[in-house]
Structures are given as C-alpha cells and as structure tokens.
C-alpha cells in the first residue's frame, strides 16, 4: 500500500519530530558528559584509574537525570487537559500531540530502564577497577581501603534497582489487564524511588581535582626526578607546586527532578481534593452483556473508562464477575473560540459488536439522535452502520422503537477500504478525522488506511482512544 506524504505528516509528523528531538537531547547529553569525563583535566587521575567505566557510568547517569525529570510531565493529566482547553496551545496538531502523552511517558520509562542497566554495568566495572587499580599516589581517590578489596554498591543503588524492576515488570500488558491493582500500587512507589534517587549521589565516591593550576595533571611531584618514574607523559616536565586535591562532585539529580516532582505532587493533591467532592447518583441501568450505565451528578465531573470496577458491588446485588462500569460520555475541553471554522459536515458512525445485545447499550441514544436529525431536515448528517460479527442464534432488532437501527444492521465486518474510498471521493482535498475506540487489530488497520495515498488527496487524521 502506497504511502501518502500528506497523511503521514498529519498523523506521524509531529510524533516523529518530538521523537527526534528527544533522541537528540539524550544523545547530546550522553556525548557531552562522556567527553567531559574522558578529556576533562579535572578527571584525569580518576579516568586513569577507572577507564571507560567512569565515562559510561556518568554519561548514562546524565541521561537518567533527563528522563527521570521528563517521565513525570506526561502524567500531569489535569495540567495537560487545562492546556488543551485554553488558547495556550492554539495548534490542532499540538493538541493531538498532547493526546499521545502516554506514549512519551512509556518511551521515557523504557529509556530509564535501558540506561539503568548500562549505569549499573558500568559501576560494576568501576568496582573492579577501584580494587585492581588502587592508587598509592592519590589515596583520597580510592574507594577501596587497600589493593584487592572489592566494595559492594551502596544500599540506595540496590533499592533503586529493586523498585525499578518492580515498576517495570508490573507495567507489562498482561499484568495491567489481569490485575490492574498490582500495576497501580507498584507505580505509586515512584515517590520512594525519587527520594532515594535524590540522596543516591550524596556519598561522593567519584571525585574531581580542584587545584589544576598548582598541580597540572601529569606534573612532577616533589618525590619524583623523572617523568618515567611516574609513568606519565603529560605535564611537559613541569614541577607540581602542591599535591593534587580532590573533592566529590556536587549532587545534580535534585536540580533535574525537583521541579517536575513538585509539579506532579501538586497535580496529585489537586486530584485528591476534587475526588472528595460529593456525588449524586441519579440512576443505575443494567444493560445486556453485564454492562452497567451509571448516571450521576457531580460538579466538573468527567467520566473515564474503567473507573472503580468494584463499584458495581455498591450499585447492584450480585452483578457478576465480569461486570464493568461503562461511561456513556467522555468530555474533552476545547477552546471556546478558535474552532468555529471547523464545522462538522457529516458523521460516519461504524459500530462492530460480536453479539446483537451489545447494541442495546446506546440504542435509545442513537434512535433519539436519528429522530432529531430527521426533524431538523438533516437525514444525511449521520451515516450509521452497525455490524454484528457473531452469527450464532442471530435475531434482528425487533422492537418498534429501534426500527432505525434494524435497517442499518449488517452481518460480518466492515469493508474499511471501500468506506475510506467513498469518503475520499466525496471529500477531495479535505481533512477527515478518524476516531477509533476498539481492539488493536482494527486500530492497526485504520491507522494504515489513514496513511494510504489512494483517496484523491483527502487527508485522514487518525486518533485512537487508549484505555490501558
């Protein structure tokens, strides 16, 4: 299938631009820190002792600082919703990027896990080098007390690795689906993780030289007469005016993470305050297929899919093990002005279900909308297509009040290519929004079709709702 450059830029351009900028920032920070410890005069003696392990451990630590600060920002959902609904973000593409905040959070999390492995591996090499290359000339640089002693990593490093391992494994798709509580509680260890991360570098095992002018790296010390005795070629034979002095690096992690951490904690506090506002339950309706419709009144309430599945126990007696709360509406904030010229001309609503009974969830709503549009003399505004994929014991929607739905019920699955071609022919050189809420198979198919170039110059903008 040929690719449409225009559609690809509309659907993937912004996402890949952010990805390139993020990868560039990580690469630049890694190389900058690597070269600092590899070539920097203040780290000359420490680099002689530890070699590349020093450079890689510090470079990976810089990348970890960056991503540990960025990973929290996409989870400030209230802030992102506010930004999305104000004139602060005026571009429609920028708003669509905000909808992909979870993807950026996952990318930062993966980077943290990968570079944590690199960081730990490099420090294991440093542990060996601290023991094997024990410095008699500069005792203050040593971590080991004598040559051959191996000092094991501190407790903070072990705790960080353990917490990160728990958070990473509990984030897998199978655990999130089978037992979401495990994912939730392990991810709330983030506050412990950040507290330990801030105090992790306080020990000061790695030190830099402070008196470079009085003691150029490689200079002749007072007890040396030849450069060869020191085994060093730097210094051009200069004599040291004093012995090298070293001090630990100043902690920098708190500078990276304190701002995003305080912002996220304020966000969580705001959510907690809002969650304590009173709620009035108006009605509870039990639909076929163990689906519950909950109607409630709450100030500034916005429903999100999958909230409190156990809440069904408080609403209905013995609701069944597979019951779930299905929000009827999920609102999004849009600017009050600025979107008026984006007028919706036609809506194609395609709904695919395995069982006929599932259509009863929204049957009354769809029929009411159908009658309203006919009364307003806009019968073509809504193109409703219902597909039932399971044909065993299939019966039609027989109720008289659901007659508009029965005439639009089809057997099988949608022919997506034909539907896209029809929309493309009637909307040449225009933008068409595609919104998918469903399994990954359908999502991948629609995403691929949106990027195709076979639709007469029509740009299909793909959007997907994510619940996991």
């Amino acid at each position: 299938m040929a690719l449409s450059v225009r559609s690809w830029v509309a659907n993937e351009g912004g996402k890949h631009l952010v990805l390139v900028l993020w990868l560039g920032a990580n690469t630049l920070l890694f190389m900058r820190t690597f070269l600092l410890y590899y070539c920097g005069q203040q780290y000359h003696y420490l680099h002689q002792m530890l070699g590349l392990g020093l450079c890689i451990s510090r470079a990976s630590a810089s990348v970890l600082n960056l991503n540990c600060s960025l990973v929290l920002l996409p989870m400030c959902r209230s802030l992102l919703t506010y930004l999305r609904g104000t004139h602060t973000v005026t571009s429609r593409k920028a708003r669509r990027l905000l909808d992909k905040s979870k993807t950026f959070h996952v990318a930062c999390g993966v980077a943290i896990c990968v570079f944590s492995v690199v960081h730990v591996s490099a420090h294991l090499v440093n542990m060996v080098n601290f023991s094997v290359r024990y410095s008699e000339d500069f005792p203050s640089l040593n971590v080991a007390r004598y040559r051959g002693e191996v000092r094991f990593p501190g407790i903070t490093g072990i705790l960080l690795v353990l917490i990160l391992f728990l958070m990473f494994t509990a984030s897998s798709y199978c655990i999130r689906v089978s037992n979401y509580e495990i994912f939730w509680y392990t991810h709330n260890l983030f506050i412990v993780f950040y507290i330990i991360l801030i105090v992790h570098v306080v020990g000061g095992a790695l030190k830099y030289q402070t008196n470079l002018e009085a003691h150029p790296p490689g200079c002749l010390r007072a007890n040396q007469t030849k450069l060869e005795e020191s085994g060093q070629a730097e210094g051009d034979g200069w004599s040291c005016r004093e012995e090298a002095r070293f001090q630990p690096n100043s902690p920098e992690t708190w500078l990276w993470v304190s701002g995003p951490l305080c912002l996220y904690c304020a966000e969580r506090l705001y959510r907690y305050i809002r969650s304590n506002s009173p709620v009035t339950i108006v009605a509870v309706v039990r639909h076929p297929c163990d689906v519950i419709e909950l109607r409630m009144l709450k100030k500034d309430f916005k429903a999100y899919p999958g909230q409190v599945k156990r809440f069904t126990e408080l609403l209905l007696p013995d609701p069944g093990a597979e019951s779930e709360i299905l929000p009827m509406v999920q609102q999004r904030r849009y600017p009050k002005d600025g979107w008026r010229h984006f007028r919706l001309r036609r809506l194609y609503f395609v709904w695919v279900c395995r069982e006929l009974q599932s259509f009863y969830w929204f049957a009354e709503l769809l029929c009411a909308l159908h009658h309203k549009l006919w009364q307003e003399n806009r019968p073509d505004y809504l193109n409703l297509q219902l597909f039932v994929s399971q044909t065993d014991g299939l019966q039609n929607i027989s109720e008289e009040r659901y007659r508009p739905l029965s005439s639009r019920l089809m057997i099988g699955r949608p022919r997506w290519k034909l539907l896209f071609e029809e929309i493309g022919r009637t909307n040449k050189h225009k933008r068409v929004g595609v919104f998918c809420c469903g399994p990954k198979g359908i999502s991948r198919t629609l995403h691929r079709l949106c990027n195709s170039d076979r639709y007469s110059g029509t740009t299909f903008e793909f959007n997907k709702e994510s619940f996991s």
Side-chain angles (χ1 to χ4, degrees):
M1 182 180 296
L3 189 68
S4 170
V5 175
R6 185 179 178 183
S7 296
W8 186 91
V9 171
N11 291 317
E12 321 294 340
K15 177 176 64 177
H16 283 79
L17 176 61
V18 172
L19 178 62
V20 169
L21 293 176
W22 175 70
L23 290 175
N26 281 276
T27 303
L28 180 63
L29 191 59
F30 185 93
M31 295 305 301
R32 176 178 174 272
T33 308
F34 185 95
L35 293 175
L36 173 64
Y37 281 86
Y38 187 83
C39 304
Q41 292 295 295
Q42 65 270 42
Y43 300 107
H44 173 81
Y45 292 117
L46 187 62
H47 178 255
Q48 278 194 331
M49 178 186 295
L50 300 182
L52 290 178
L54 169 68
C55 307
I56 296 176
S57 64
R58 299 315 304 154
S60 58
S62 297
V63 175
L64 287 172
N65 286 338
L66 173 64
N67 286 278
C68 285
S69 64
L70 293 178
V71 73
L72 290 173
L73 298 180
M75 293 295 100
C76 297
R77 295 194 295 269
S78 299
L79 176 61
L80 294 180
T81 302
Y82 172 77
L83 293 176
R84 200 182 195 282
T86 63
H87 289 288
T88 306
V89 181
T90 58
S91 171
R92 183 169 55 170
K93 293 182 180 179
R95 292 191 181 95
R96 295 180 66 206
L97 280 178
L98 292 179
D99 292 338
K100 295 179 172 62
S101 58
K102 176 190 168 184
T103 303
F104 185 69
H105 172 78
V106 173
C108 292
V110 172
I112 291 173
C113 294
V114 171
F115 281 95
S116 293
V117 173
V118 175
H119 184 72
V120 171
S121 301
H123 267 315
L124 292 176
V125 175
N126 291 338
M127 287 170 48
V128 175
N129 287 333
F130 269 127
S131 174
V132 175
R133 300 178 183 176
Y134 183 87
S135 177
E136 302 287 350
D137 296 327
F138 307 107
S140 59
L141 274 181
N142 296 312
V143 171
R145 291 170 295 182
Y146 52 87
R147 187 181 299 275
E149 182 191 27
V150 177
R151 301 293 296 270
F152 291 97
I155 186 64
T156 58
I158 296 176
L159 290 175
L160 287 173
V161 172
L162 178 61
I163 294 174
L164 188 61
F165 175 78
L166 291 175
M167 295 176 68
F168 178 76
T169 53
S171 301
S172 62
Y173 179 78
C174 58
I175 292 182
R176 282 188 286 120
V177 171
S178 61
N179 197 326
Y180 189 83
E181 287 78 8
I182 295 178
F183 164 76
W184 172 252
Y185 287 119
T186 53
H187 250 59
N188 278 320
L189 291 173
F190 80 95
I191 187 65
V192 180
F193 177 86
Y194 277 95
I195 292 174
I196 299 176
L197 181 65
I198 291 174
V199 302
H200 174 59
V201 294
V202 174
L206 303 180
K207 303 173 183 178
Y208 69 96
Q209 185 181 344
T210 59
N211 57 339
L212 293 176
E213 294 184 0
H215 186 111
C219 65
L220 287 172
R221 297 190 300 278
N223 59 347
Q224 292 178 323
T225 58
K226 296 181 181 180
L227 286 174
E228 290 77 12
E229 294 181 18
S230 64
Q232 298 169 346
E234 296 88 344
D236 296 329
W238 296 340
S239 297
C240 305
R241 295 199 299 270
E242 59 184 42
E243 287 295 323
R245 295 196 300 268
F246 303 92
Q247 73 176 35
N249 285 322
S250 300
E252 296 182 353
T253 301
W254 70 274
L255 294 173
W256 287 89
V257 304
S258 57
L261 183 60
C262 291
L263 180 64
Y264 182 73
C265 290
E267 158 99 4
R268 292 289 291 266
L269 178 62
Y270 172 73
R271 287 190 226 161
Y272 175 76
I273 294 174
R274 285 192 58 193
S275 66
N276 289 328
S277 58
V279 178
T280 302
I281 297 179
V282 179
V284 180
V285 182
R286 186 166 185 173
H287 293 285
C289 303
D290 288 329
V291 174
I292 296 174
E293 176 186 347
L294 177 63
R295 299 179 183 179
M296 63 175 66
L297 294 177
K298 182 179 180 180
K299 184 179 179 180
D300 299 327
F301 173 73
K302 297 178 179 62
Y304 296 94
Q307 286 181 334
V308 199
K309 294 182 180 183
R310 294 181 180 176
F311 192 48
T312 56
E313 299 174 3
L314 303 177
L315 304 177
L316 298 171
D318 191 21
E322 299 299 325
S323 298
E324 62 177 343
I325 296 176
L326 179 66
M328 304 300 290
V329 176
Q330 180 178 0
Q331 296 180 346
R332 284 188 173 181
R333 288 187 60 181
Y334 293 96
K336 295 180 180 178
D337 301 317
W339 279 63
R340 295 176 179 175
H341 58 286
F342 293 106
R343 186 175 180 179
L344 187 63
R345 296 188 176 95
R346 195 174 191 188
L347 175 64
Y348 291 80
F349 187 84
V350 183
W351 193 2
V352 185
C353 292
R354 291 183 179 178
E355 301 175 353
L356 183 65
Q357 290 78 8
S358 300
F359 293 113
Y360 286 98
W361 302 348
F362 295 106
E364 293 185 4
L365 178 63
L366 293 175
C367 290
L369 179 60
H370 176 268
H371 293 311
K372 183 176 184 294
L373 292 174
W374 272 82
Q375 292 174 359
E376 296 176 354
N377 196 24
R378 294 192 296 165
D380 295 332
Y381 179 82
L382 176 63
N383 186 312
L384 183 61
Q385 301 181 24
L386 307 178
F387 293 86
V388 58
S389 59
Q390 193 174 29
T391 59
D392 296 341
L394 181 63
Q395 297 179 356
N396 202 352
I397 301 178
S398 57
E399 289 86 341
E400 179 66 25
R401 56 178 175 168
Y402 298 144
R403 183 176 297 276
L405 301 186
S406 60
S407 61
R408 290 163 173 81
L409 182 64
M410 290 167 276
I411 309 300
R413 299 181 182 275
R415 302 178 68 178
W416 297 114
K417 290 184 180 180
L418 295 180
L419 179 60
F420 272 70
E421 289 174 357
E422 175 192 345
I423 299 174
R425 284 193 302 268
T426 56
N427 298 274
K428 294 183 178 180
H429 307 292
K430 296 179 182 178
R431 291 181 177 269
V432 177
V434 179
F435 299 85
C436 175
C437 176
K440 291 184 178 180
I442 295 180
S443 175
R444 283 192 294 263
T445 300
L446 296 180
H447 197 172
R448 185 171 60 253
L449 290 173
C450 285
N451 289 335
S452 175
D453 69 341
R454 55 189 298 176
Y455 306 119
S456 305
T458 305
T459 301
F460 288 91
E461 295 183 347
F462 178 78
N463 304 269
K464 183 182 185 303
E465 190 70 75
S466 178
F467 297 151
S468 59

